Amino acid sequence: MKFIIISGTPGTGKTTISNHLCKFINASIVSLNKLIIEENYILEYDIERETSVIDEIKLLENLDSIINKYKSSSIEYLIIEGHFSEIIPEDYINYVIILRCHPDELFNRLYTRGYKKEKIIENVQSEILGTCVSYFIEKKLQLPLYEIDTTDSDIDDISKIILNIINENENMSYFYVGKIDWLEKLSNQDRLNEFFE
């Protein structure tokens, strides 16, 4: 069984893409957000930031038993998706796909979901700074990191890219991290003050 990690800022399409991928490969999904709620891996709720503080130690302590349940099945891939999936140990990582989204579109997506403006701005800032990418770079994994822009992409096209990555069907260097730079783009447009005070 191989592990596909799908990361990205909230709103970039992790859950949607993960579910769609399962139509094409023999895979199961572990949603870290769902797992944390179901297993109560929560230390507290940060009211001001509108987010749960995760008990990462408890999650990692139980990760082996969670994954072993899937190892005993006949699935070929386990997709682990979540915006903080960089906490997954290297032993459970074969592919890292980080989904990205233009800040304007991400703002609209999160607004449609009903996020409060402060929470939207926090997530958009994280996307502009490439926080999810940075976390994986810091892990110094001995494998390529990929990022895919989901802003205007069709779900089938995104899935096809991921399938090509895991099947090594063609040179996928175009999707290596470093090609997407919202910070530079917005800076060149003199728009950073729209998102950072």
Side-chain angles (χ1 to χ4, degrees), residues 39-156:
E39 300 297 328
N40 194 28
Y41 297 145
I42 298 172
L43 293 172
E44 61 181 308
Y45 186 77
D46 186 331
I47 297 173
E48 186 177 327
R49 294 184 60 238
E50 295 184 311
T51 189
S52 296
V53 178
I54 302 157
D55 189 340
E56 292 185 13
I57 294 172
K58 196 172 180 182
L59 171 62
L60 292 173
E61 283 176 350
N62 292 284
L63 194 60
D64 284 334
S65 61
I66 293 164
I67 286 175
N68 282 333
K69 291 176 188 175
Y70 290 98
K71 281 185 174 178
S72 62
S73 70
S74 60
I75 63 168
E76 293 179 56
Y77 298 97
L78 184 62
I79 300 170
I80 303 175
E81 65 97 356
H83 70 276
F84 54 93
S85 53
E86 74 280 348
I87 69 169
I88 301 297
E90 189 170 354
D91 289 348
Y92 298 132
I93 300 175
N94 295 106
Y95 307 97
V96 176
I97 316 291
I98 303 159
L99 302 182
R100 308 295 305 277
C101 182
H102 189 283
D104 292 334
E105 173 62 18
L106 186 62
F107 188 102
N108 292 334
R109 290 181 187 182
L110 297 178
Y111 179 81
T112 302
R113 288 186 182 186
Y115 280 41
K116 291 184 179 175
K117 187 172 181 183
E118 293 79 8
K119 188 67 177 173
I120 295 174
I121 292 297
E122 179 184 334
N123 282 296
V124 170
Q125 288 174 344
S126 178
E127 176 64 13
I128 292 169
L129 296 172
T131 303
C132 290
V133 172
S134 297
Y135 286 151
F136 274 102
I137 290 173
E138 288 170 11
K139 286 179 78 72
K140 297 181 180 176
L141 299 171
Q142 300 303 306
L143 49 85
L145 305 175
Y146 299 93
E147 58 184 352
I148 302 171
D149 184 355
T150 67
T151 306
D152 299 311
S153 300
D154 178 85
I155 188 170
D156 288 318

Side-chain angles (χ1 to χ4, degrees), residues 1-6 14 16-30 73-80 94-95 97 156 158-169:
M1 183 174 72
K2 291 188 175 181
F3 301 93
I4 303 170
I5 308 301
I6 298 186
K14 297 177 298 297
T16 302
I17 295 300
S18 297
N19 287 322
H20 194 66
L21 268 177
C22 289
K23 296 179 179 180
F24 306 103
I25 57 176
N26 178 16
S28 290
I29 302 169
V30 171
S73 70
S74 60
I75 63 168
E76 293 179 56
Y77 298 97
L78 184 62
I79 300 170
I80 303 175
N94 295 106
Y95 307 97
I97 316 291
D156 288 318
I158 297 167
S159 295
K160 184 178 178 183
I161 293 166
I162 296 173
L163 291 172
N164 282 329
I165 288 170
I166 65 176
N167 292 320
E168 300 176 6
N169 285 344

